[in-house]
Structure formats: structure tokens, C-alpha cells
């Protein structure tokens, strides 16, 4: 409490410390806790690396087993390892992910200069409304989830839908309430084999979550549109949803879905499943 810095508390993060602790053990943390906390967020990772390496050298000199810790600084979700996104979700590539759930990547990971990220062969793309205006050549219809921006109003009702969705911090149920409209719009256009652009203000959170809901609700585990047949036959679990999220993030490399919005997607899917079983 005496530290001048503020730290985010992420419930449940202690269950997967191997994905974020960078080799730091509880004993090492408490031994150096004041130094780590007082160093602040900017110095924390470097301090952890120094502490872990000094401890490794100390133990190796005494004949103890002390393998070197390797931390990957990832640029895209195609690499093995975790993603760290402040208050946003931590996405980790599952170790034993069924290959049938991942469609091969056609293009290599790149920087964020792309305006539109196409999700495999799903006919779905995600983007930011701020950047999308100049890159619509291959788009047949648009689902605009941005509550602050309007796209061309000349589009027909069948090819353009505007849904004002706000983040979970402002409205805990905004995404949940609007997902049925988004699913219906996507379903109509995917049946017609039209290419759909999903966009939100940043292209990193709400549009990613809408894409996740669509792919989980309307696609099978091979990433092919089946109009919901697979969804009807299988139970919806967090693991299943996580696999779909990993699939999306292999293409949308700037994805940063928030935990609050992901919870709404899961709630929506569970409600859909319950209604189908009635």
C-alpha cells in the first residue's frame, strides 16, 4: 500500500503463473518484493529477469538443477506462448490443440499496418472503423459495432447494419444484448456467401468478440460455415470458445479482447444453447 505505483489485479491469474511469472517463484518474489513493487511497471520485467538469473547462477554453482528460463517476446499469436494485455485477456496457445480446429495461415504475421484482417477462409474480416474506409474492395457487407462512428449510409439494409455496442466497463450487457442482431445479420449474408466486415472503434476488442460469437455459433470445428449444425450437437465450454479465439487471433494479430466482453459472449452462447434444448 505504500508503493507509489498502481498495479492491476486480475482474478484467477495465479492459476497460470507459468504464462506470466517469467520464472519468478513465490519465494523469490517475497524475498525481493519491495524492490519489485518499488521498481514500477516499467522496470518490473527487467528486475524479474535479473533476480531469476542470479538465483539460477547461485543454484548452478552449488550443483543444483537450474535450467535457464527463456521468455519469448511475441509479435503474433502464431508463436507459442502467452499474450499480456493490461486489463485485457491473456491468450495462450493451447499445447495440444486439435489441428482440425485451426485453418492454415495463408499469410505470415506482420505489423499493424494492415487495415483489414481476414479470418482464414471464413468470409469474415475485422477492422477499425477509423481505418477501414480505404480498404473495402473485397467487402460485400459491413457490420458496424462502433458506437461513435458511422460508415457509408448509402449501403442497403441487407449489406449494412449498425449496432452501437459499448465496452463492458460502460455497460456490462451491451454486447450481450446486441449479439442476436449481429448473428442474424451474419447468418443471412454467410448463407449468401457474402464477405462480411466486422468493425469497431479499435478493431481489437468488440469486433473480435462479435467474430468469436459468429464463428462459435455458425461454424464447425474445422472453421467451415455450417449454419449452426455443429453448435446444436456440441456442448459450449470455455475451452471450446478459447480454441475459436485462438483461431481468430492467428489472423487478427492486433486482437485484445477484454475479459468483460468475452464473458458476455460466453453468456450469450450459453443462452442460445439453452433455448435450442428447450
Amino acid at each position: 500500500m505504500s508503493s507509489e505505483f498502481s498495479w492491476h489485479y486480475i482474478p484467477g491469474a495465479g492459476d497460470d503463473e507459468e504464462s506470466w511469472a517469467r520464472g519468478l517463484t513465490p519465494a523469490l518474489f517475497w524475498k525481493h518484493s519491495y524492490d519489485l513493487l518499488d521498481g514500477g511497471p516499467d522496470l518490473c520485467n527487467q528486475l524479474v529477469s535479473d533476480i531469476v538469473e542470479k538465483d539460477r547462477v547461485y543454484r548452478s554453482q552449488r550443483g543444483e538443477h537450474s535450467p535457464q528460463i527463456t521468455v519469448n517476446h511475441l509479435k503474433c499469436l502464431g508463436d507459442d506462448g502467452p499474450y499480456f494485455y493490461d486489463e485485457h485477456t491473456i491468450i495462450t496457445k493451447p499445447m495440444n490443440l486439435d489441428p482440425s480446429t485451426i485453418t492454415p495461415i495463408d499469410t505470415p504475421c506482420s505489423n499493424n499496418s494492415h487495415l483489414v484482417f481476414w479470418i482464414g477462409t471464413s468470409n469474415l474480416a475485422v477492422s477499425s472503423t477509423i481505418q477501414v474506409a480505404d480498404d473495402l474492395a473485397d467487402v460485400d457487407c459491413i457490420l458496424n459495432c462502433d458506437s461513435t462512428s458511422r460508415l457509408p449510409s448509402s449501403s442497403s439494409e441487407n449489406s449494412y447494419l449498425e449496432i452501437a455496442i459499448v465496452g463492458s466497463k460502460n455497460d456490462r450487457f451491451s454486447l450481450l444484448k446486441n449479439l442476436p442482431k449481429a448473428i442474424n445479420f451474419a447468418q443471412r449474408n454467410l448463407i449468401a456467401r457474402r464477405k462480411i466486415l466486422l468493425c469497431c472503434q479499435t478493431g481489437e476488442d468488440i469486433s473480435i468478440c462479435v467474430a468469436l460469437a459468429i464463428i462459435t455459433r455458425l461454424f464447425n470445428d474445422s472453421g467451415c460455415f455450417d449454419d449452426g449444425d455443429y453448435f446444436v450437437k456440441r456442448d459450449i465450454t470455455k475451452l471450446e470458445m478459447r480454441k475459436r479465439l485462438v483461431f481468430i487471433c492467428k489472423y487478427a494479430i492486433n486482437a485484445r479482447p477484454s475479459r468483460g466482453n468475452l464473458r458476455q459472449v460466453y453468456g450469450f452462447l450459453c443462452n442460445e444453447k439453452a433455448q435450442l434444448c428447450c
Side-chain angles (χ1 to χ4, degrees), residues 48-98:
V48 169
S49 298
D50 292 343
I51 291 168
V52 170
E53 178 61 15
K54 287 178 181 178
D55 179 69
R56 185 192 71 81
V57 172
Y58 176 85
R59 287 186 291 112
S60 66
Q61 289 174 343
R62 283 152 181 79
E64 299 179 28
H65 178 65
S66 53
Q68 191 165 12
I69 301 295
T70 300
V71 178
N72 295 324
H73 300 278
L74 303 177
K75 296 298 182 184
C76 64
L77 210 110
D79 299 325
D80 291 323
Y83 272 60
F84 302 91
Y85 288 140
D86 302 324
E87 76 277 8
H88 292 259
T89 190
I90 300 175
I91 305 169
T92 307
K93 183 177 179 182
M95 295 296 292
N96 298 312
L97 190 62
D98 184 347

Side-chain angles (χ1 to χ4, degrees), residues 246-272:
V246 171
F247 168 71
I248 292 169
C249 294
K250 286 178 72 71
Y251 300 95
I253 59 174
N254 64 335
R256 302 175 68 243
S258 66
R259 292 174 181 271
N261 285 336
L262 288 174
R263 280 196 292 267
Q264 292 182 69
V265 173
Y266 184 67
F268 163 77
L269 294 171
C270 290
N271 290 339
E272 285 281 287

Side-chain angles (χ1 to χ4, degrees), residues 40-201:
D42 293 337
L43 298 177
C44 184
N45 286 341
Q46 185 58 54
L47 288 170
V48 169
S49 298
D50 292 343
I51 291 168
V52 170
E53 178 61 15
K54 287 178 181 178
D55 179 69
R56 185 192 71 81
V57 172
Y58 176 85
R59 287 186 291 112
S60 66
Q61 289 174 343
R62 283 152 181 79
E64 299 179 28
H65 178 65
S66 53
Q68 191 165 12
I69 301 295
T70 300
V71 178
N72 295 324
H73 300 278
L74 303 177
K75 296 298 182 184
C76 64
L77 210 110
D79 299 325
D80 291 323
Y83 272 60
F84 302 91
Y85 288 140
D86 302 324
E87 76 277 8
H88 292 259
T89 190
I90 300 175
I91 305 169
T92 307
K93 183 177 179 182
M95 295 296 292
N96 298 312
L97 190 62
D98 184 347
S100 66
T101 64
I102 298 293
T103 301
I105 300 177
D106 297 320
T107 55
C109 292
S110 60
N111 58 32
N112 289 354
S113 61
H114 283 83
L115 299 180
V116 173
F117 296 96
W118 288 97
I119 304 172
T121 57
S122 66
N123 278 346
L124 295 174
V126 294
S127 180
S128 162
T129 49
I130 299 173
Q131 299 176 316
V132 74
D134 298 326
D135 201 1
L136 295 176
D138 296 327
V139 173
D140 297 317
C141 47
I142 300 173
L143 175 55
N144 180 11
C145 305
D146 190 351
S147 61
T148 63
S149 301
R150 298 182 64 87
L151 291 176
S153 57
S154 57
S155 302
S156 68
E157 181 179 346
N158 292 327
S159 61
Y160 180 77
L161 177 64
E162 189 171 278
I163 305 175
I165 301 176
V166 298
S168 58
K169 286 187 176 181
N170 298 316
D171 185 341
R172 291 190 300 158
F173 305 106
S174 178
L175 179 60
L176 179 65
K177 290 184 293 188
N178 285 287
L179 276 176
K181 297 178 187 176
I183 295 294
N184 290 336
F185 178 82
Q187 188 173 25
R188 290 198 310 270
N189 286 288
L190 288 170
I191 289 173
R193 299 185 179 181
R194 305 181 77 193
K195 295 180 178 179
I196 308 172
L197 174 65
L198 313 172
C199 52
C200 63
Q201 188 173 17

Side-chain angles (χ1 to χ4, degrees), residues 14-43:
D15 293 338
D16 12 285
E17 70 279 359
E18 69 280 356
S19 69
W20 56 261
R22 308 169 70 89
L24 190 69
T25 63
L28 280 177
F29 169 78
W30 288 113
K31 184 177 180 180
H32 302 277
S33 60
Y34 290 108
D35 292 334
L36 288 168
L37 294 175
D38 291 342
D42 293 337
L43 298 177

